[in-house]
Amino acid sequence: MSVVIVVGAQWGDEGKGKVVDLLTEQAEVVVRYGGGANAGHTLVIDGQKLVTHLVPSGVLHPGKRCVLGDGMVIDPHTLLEEISACQARGLLARGELLIGAGAHVILPYHKLIDGLREDRHAATARAIGTTRRGIGPAYEAKAARRGVRVRDLLVPARLRELVAANMEELLPLIQHLGGAAPGAAEIERWTSDALAAGARLAPSIGDAGRHVYQAIKEQRHVLFEGAQGCLLDLDHGTYPFVTSSSTIAAGACQSAGIGPTEVDSVIGITKAYATRVGGGPFPTELHGAAGESLRQAGGEFGATTGRPRRCGWLDLPALRMGVRLSGMSGLALTKLDVLSSMPEVLVCVGYRVEGTEYDEPPGDPDLVSRLEPIYARYPGWGELPRDVRELADLPAAARDYVAAIERLAGVALTLVSVGPDRNQTIRISDPFS
Ligand code: IMP
């Protein structure tokens, strides 16, 4: 039995979906923790694409239990659409999905407020560039102890009371943000739609925490699937340019309701370069043609919003911070193939500001905006061979690059991904063994 947590080691979009899909071959229970439909995992199986936002990427393996932990914020309509898309492909049979009754619900007013705030700050230095999925406002309600939980969708009187109490406070905010105050009929429609969605989801709603704990006690392999990345963590990321949940490995315990002593290993996922969506510091960002060519080569457009991702060189100080925050025991390196077109590959190994060097991103936002990356340079390796199964199959320059990342990050590599398909993977060690 093993309990493995998979986390994004950067700012999200590291290719967690593919790694979770691979590890799910062995896992019996796959648990999504934290966040909501702001995440988007693109899965490519036999050349076919499936994007999931809420359902864990483990869904591609029939017979596995997919759990949505209590720490999540769930848009019931998005979830229903996703369940239908999975079932249309013969996936997610009845009984395979368990939705934590304690998870919070995203309602239309959360998305409205998220969007209004974004519009207000668009094109200013304060713009977070959220996914507009209502994530921040839903977690605000949770922290203020007035959130709506999944279990409330099953009790009409309680849901109506909660929505009414929330709207009383939020109507002035919506107007202050320049929005049109929703009328009673619209609020009633939001509520009845949520109740209808709750009725459809009811057979899958249950006690996620107990189920996960029981699976661990029954010696089953359990896989926790992180969303976003360590540097978007609410407490430890590049605040305020972060998401509103705990994205580090500790968030898995918090969300699912298990203790840290149950966890056997933490696998961090990092791309061979770096990307970020939305605002916030990104010291190694490549602008102009260089950034564009990396974006095109890597297909770096958001799976949730379609936004072009900002692209740059791998940032080791930021990666090392992720390693520290999540206590990573292994590292999965993804998208190595994307760098094949580069004549030279750079890696940021530290930062400098006015003569002072930093080996992790400093917290002070004034300093962060002035960081100059210190780069190590590696020769490019050209196209990778078609059939790469072992590190030894890689060109020598690519092998050197991979070895340098492992050494500089200070964590052993678990796998290296050299393309989107399952078989384009070099497996080095098995976290479940
Ligand atoms: P929110 O989570 O929608 O509130 O967005 C807050 C910040 O996190 C924005 O910069 C988003 O672009 C970023 N973000 C949220 N989810 C993801 C993700 O799954 N991948 C990458 N960035 C994300």
Side-chain angles (χ1 to χ4, degrees):
M1 177 283 289
S2 289
V3 177
V4 177
I5 300 176
V6 167
V7 286
Q10 300 167 300
W11 287 279
D13 309 317
E14 298 92 349
K16 292 181 288 293
K18 171 175 168 173
V19 176
V20 169
D21 172 57
L22 286 170
L23 294 179
T24 304
E25 280 166 14
Q26 289 141 285
E28 288 164 85
V29 180
V30 187
V31 189
R32 170 79 199 272
Y33 68 90
N38 46 352
H41 291 160
T42 307
L43 303 156
V44 182
I45 307 299
D46 299 329
Q48 284 209 327
K49 234 184 190 187
L50 175 73
V51 180
T52 62
H53 299 284
L54 290 163
V55 173
S57 312
V59 69
L60 292 179
H61 295 263
K64 313 287 175 172
R65 202 86 203 269
C66 291
V67 179
L68 305 186
D70 284 350
M72 289 186 69
V73 283
I74 296 173
D75 181 333
H77 304 294
T78 305
L79 181 55
L80 281 168
E81 278 168 25
E82 217 165 286
I83 293 170
S84 300
C86 290
Q87 289 179 342
R89 296 183 58 165
L91 303 169
L92 207 59
R94 189 174 282 275
E96 284 180 7
L97 180 69
L98 176 60
I99 307 163
H104 279 248
V105 176
I106 298 214
L107 287 154
Y109 52 83
H110 297 128
K111 291 195 272 193
L112 175 65
I113 292 169
D114 198 1
L116 288 170
R117 284 192 182 132
E118 280 299 305
D119 290 343
R120 196 176 166 88
H121 297 300
T124 73
R126 288 182 63 194
I128 308 275
T130 74
T131 58
R132 296 174 181 251
R133 296 295 189 268
I135 307 297
Y139 277 120
E140 283 169 40
K142 171 178 172 170
R145 292 153 297 177
R146 50 175 50 249
V148 172
R149 292 184 296 171
V150 166
R151 55 166 47 90
D152 301 322
L153 297 179
L154 308 179
V155 185
R158 198 160 70 211
L159 180 70
R160 286 186 196 288
E161 200 180 311
L162 275 167
V163 171
N166 276 283
M167 289 317 299
E168 194 185 313
E169 284 203 349
L170 294 175
L171 283 177
L173 173 65
I174 291 169
Q175 284 169 314
H176 169 76
L177 292 171
E186 193 168 10
I187 296 170
E188 173 51 32
R189 187 168 49 78
W190 290 346
T191 314
S192 47
D193 285 353
L195 287 170
R200 287 177 63 195
L201 293 170
S204 304
I205 297 173
D207 191 333
R210 276 181 76 104
H211 177 83
V212 173
Y213 184 73
Q214 191 117 17
I216 295 172
K217 293 301 143 191
E218 286 168 6
Q219 309 284 307
R220 298 179 192 282
H221 285 332
V222 179
L223 181 64
F224 286 92
E225 171 179 348
Q228 294 87 41
C230 293
L231 294 153
L232 288 175
D233 184 78
L234 178 61
D235 292 299
H236 304 284
T238 46
Y239 191 89
F241 301 98
V242 293
T243 190
S244 299
S245 62
S246 171
T247 59
I248 59 176
C253 298
Q254 179 73 27
S255 173
I258 60 153
T261 48
E262 308 289 354
V263 179
D264 296 296
S265 57
V266 178
I267 308 299
I269 320 289
T270 176
K271 276 191 241 210
Y273 50 97
T275 62
R276 169 160 211 172
V277 197
F282 187 3
T284 63
E285 182 168 11
L286 287 166
H287 298 277
E292 188 54 35
S293 90
L294 195 47
R295 186 173 306 119
Q296 294 300 334
E300 297 294 354
F301 297 88
T304 298
T305 58
R307 288 181 291 178
R309 296 178 184 143
R310 299 158 67 192
C311 297
W313 298 119
L314 184 61
D315 184 335
L316 253 307
L319 177 59
R320 278 194 293 259
M321 188 164 130
V323 169
R324 171 173 69 77
L325 289 171
S326 280
M328 287 172 204
S329 49
L331 202 59
L333 181 69
T334 62
K335 294 191 120 174
L336 184 68
D337 52 307
V338 172
L339 294 180
S340 295
S341 57
M342 298 285 167
E344 188 183 40
V345 179
L346 275 62
V347 175
C348 168
V349 292
Y351 314 114
R352 195 178 288 121
V353 181
E354 288 149 19
T356 306
E357 291 192 4
Y358 297 85
D359 62 359
E360 263 199 20
D364 181 343
D366 292 335
L367 268 181
V368 170
S369 62
R370 290 184 290 138
L371 294 177
E372 282 170 46
I374 304 166
Y375 285 114
R377 294 171 177 271
Y378 297 85
W381 46 81
E383 283 306 308
L384 295 178
R386 274 179 76 86
D387 202 20
V388 177
R389 295 299 161 103
E390 297 179 23
L391 285 175
D393 298 332
L394 291 173
R399 256 190 342 257
D400 289 349
Y401 182 70
V402 168
I405 293 170
E406 185 172 47
R407 191 181 66 251
L408 293 166
V411 184
L413 284 171
T414 300
L415 67 81
V416 178
S417 169
V418 292
D421 267 318
R422 276 178 183 158
N423 59 12
Q424 293 175 299
T425 310
I426 303 169
R427 289 180 168 222
I428 300 166
S429 63
D430 175 3
F432 280 116
S433 67

